[in-house]
Amino acid sequence: MGGRGGAPATGLGAVWVVLRAQLSYLRIDPADYQLVRALFLRGVALVYGIAFLSLWVQVEGLLGAGGILPANAYLEAVTRHLGAAGYLRLPTLLWLGAGDAALHLLCGAGALLAGLVCWGVAPAPCLALLWICYLSLFNVGQDFLSFQWDILLLETGFIALLWAPGTWRPGRVWAGTPSVAALWLVRWLLFRLVFSSGAVKLLSDDPTWRDLTAMTYHYQTQPLPHAVAWFADKLPLLLHQATAVSMFLVELVVPFLIFAPRRARLSACGALVILQLAIGATGNYGFFNILTVVLCFSLLDDRIVRRWLPVPASWRAVTAPGRWRSLPRIAVCILLLLLSARQLSQTLRLEWAWPQPVLALNRHLGAFRLVGGYGLFAVMTTVRREIQVEGSHDGHSWRAYRFRWKPDREEGRPGLAQPHMPRLDWQMWFAALRPHRENSWFAGFLSALLEGREDVLNLLEENPFSSPPKYVRSRLYRHEFGSWDELWSSGRWWRRELLGDYTDIYTLER
């Protein structure tokens, strides 16, 4: 309430005035984010293109009729188990046919649509089709499309659809009024992704994170290191600990700057991008690092983007959409905000009583992967175990299959794969963490080797047999980076020790 003669407001009125002044930086002029939106949409399309092309060269060996986990067999099993309900529980275009041709068609269509969005052709329809194509592959991909960045791409792609303009004309993707609600949803996703990654490390009570020694293990025990990781592993303990401290600062403190004034927000963008560059510089994480950098674009504004892109300073082609056209988009954004807030509360182990309508929506919409839970390396792996798969014609003389990217010999130089995502090599790392009976796909992989299926053999670097072996087995080794002397004197990047058999000897009935 105000006093006489224009006296300052008191009580709740004064609190409101102060609060409004402090949060004034949250007000957004949509005209300041047209170039940011264009950059973001093209970035999402680029990542889609990488993901589809990377999967395309592997899809027959992974999910084809002669692959490790055939998509058609999987859908048949879903139908037997769920009946007609399977169509809703597992939304995918591959219900129309899941043969090799259909898998290739989806990958090829995805790559083409990604190129159209980059060119600015019909961004909203193309992004909708991209999301449908990737969801269709994801829902039949089983173990081979179970990575966090696959879910992240689906969530980011759906938000990008909400942010995209409804124009069909090439080059007009920069015109129109960007949705403020969609912009905040992108920033919220970035916050959840980064903050969850830091929080899960603390919540896990893992001793290596608490005593800051995790990075002394990380470089050699991560799924697919490349050569730079070998050198990073040799850094002194103090630098490893400093790296861990810096990581916690970036993942637990910097995310809150996403909602801060402009200068702090731009600083947060810089810190998050540097973290992703550092991660990508020492390990192969497919398109994850690029996708996270694309999310960071939402922290920029057109003033800073104009310094990079040759756009006239006077260009501000803003056309405000009608209110009724914005309402459905805002309603979907609110729905996603509720579902993602619940997911974050689960990640943080917060025992909140969510309303039943939110829980019901989460159950019914879960198969569409609109929101995901994130958090990498909650528990640091301290010992690297690798599986070596071997074949034999007589059961006495054994020869090893060679993989393209995973370590499987002492002299093997860790290779650079990214942004390609070698999904079999990644799953081999996960498989070594638990007994083979807990990896449902592994028996299918061994059977494919016994049958000599070309699609699966093409996923490998070297097949030592001209005809399929009669027997296969797998053995478990402990791997660790070698010393400077071993590298310079004998060219050995790794040293390894046999731990024992991973599986028994497999053979086919002949």
Side-chain angles (χ1 to χ4, degrees), residues 288-303:
F288 169 70
N289 306 116
I290 301 175
L291 181 54
T292 305
V293 170
V294 170
L295 289 171
C296 291
F297 292 166
S298 66
L299 305 183
L300 306 175
D301 54 42
D302 284 6
R303 279 185 287 168

Side-chain angles (χ1 to χ4, degrees), residues 66-276:
I68 300 171
L69 293 176
N72 50 14
Y74 177 60
L75 291 178
E76 289 172 2
V78 171
T79 302
R80 289 195 301 270
H81 183 65
L82 297 176
Y87 296 102
L88 296 177
R89 295 279 295 275
L90 202 72
T92 174
L93 294 175
L94 292 171
W95 284 114
L96 302 174
D100 292 356
L103 294 171
H104 283 291
L105 179 62
L106 280 179
C107 291
L112 175 61
L113 290 165
L116 292 176
V117 175
C118 287
W119 192 29
V121 177
C126 287
L127 283 167
L129 291 173
L130 278 167
W131 182 80
I132 292 171
C133 289
Y134 205 76
L135 179 68
S136 296
L137 290 166
F138 177 90
N139 277 335
V140 301
Q142 304 159 81
D143 296 271
F144 294 115
L145 272 90
S146 61
F147 300 99
Q148 288 191 33
W149 34 94
D150 291 313
I151 299 172
L152 179 63
L153 179 54
L154 284 170
E155 183 171 359
T156 303
F158 192 82
I159 299 174
L161 169 61
L162 296 176
W163 207 12
T167 179
W168 290 78
R169 295 175 55 189
R172 296 298 294 169
V173 68
W174 288 13
T177 304
S179 167
V180 174
L183 171 61
W184 279 113
L185 207 57
V186 177
R187 291 178 175 178
W188 169 241
L189 171 57
L190 179 61
F191 172 86
R192 288 166 42 224
L193 172 65
V194 180
F195 184 75
S196 296
S197 294
V200 295
K201 295 176 176 65
L202 292 181
L203 293 172
S204 68
D205 291 325
D206 180 72
T208 66
W209 285 118
R210 293 194 172 272
D211 63 15
L212 303 179
T213 60
M215 301 308 294
T216 64
Y217 303 101
H218 168 72
Y219 298 111
Q220 71 174 350
T221 62
Q222 64 181 311
L224 292 182
H226 53 71
V228 178
W230 190 96
F231 296 97
D233 181 70
K234 306 306 178 188
L235 294 173
L237 174 61
L238 185 61
L239 283 179
H240 286 307
Q241 292 176 323
T243 300
V245 171
S246 300
M247 181 278 306
F248 276 121
L249 288 174
V250 173
E251 292 188 344
L252 295 176
V253 178
V254 170
F256 290 95
L257 300 183
I258 291 173
F259 311 107
R262 183 175 186 268
R263 288 188 177 181
R265 189 177 68 248
L266 293 178
S267 298
C269 180
L272 295 174
V273 169
I274 290 172
L275 174 62
Q276 293 308 311

Side-chain angles (χ1 to χ4, degrees), residues 31 42 54 67 75 77 104 141 223-225 227 247 262 266 289 304 314 343 349 353 355 377 421 487:
R42 283 167 166 81
S54 174
L75 291 178
H104 283 291
L224 292 182
M247 181 278 306
R262 183 175 186 268
L266 293 178
N289 306 116
I304 194 168
S314 59
Q343 179 62 59
R349 303 178 187 176
F377 296 108
M421 178 66 190
L487 179 61

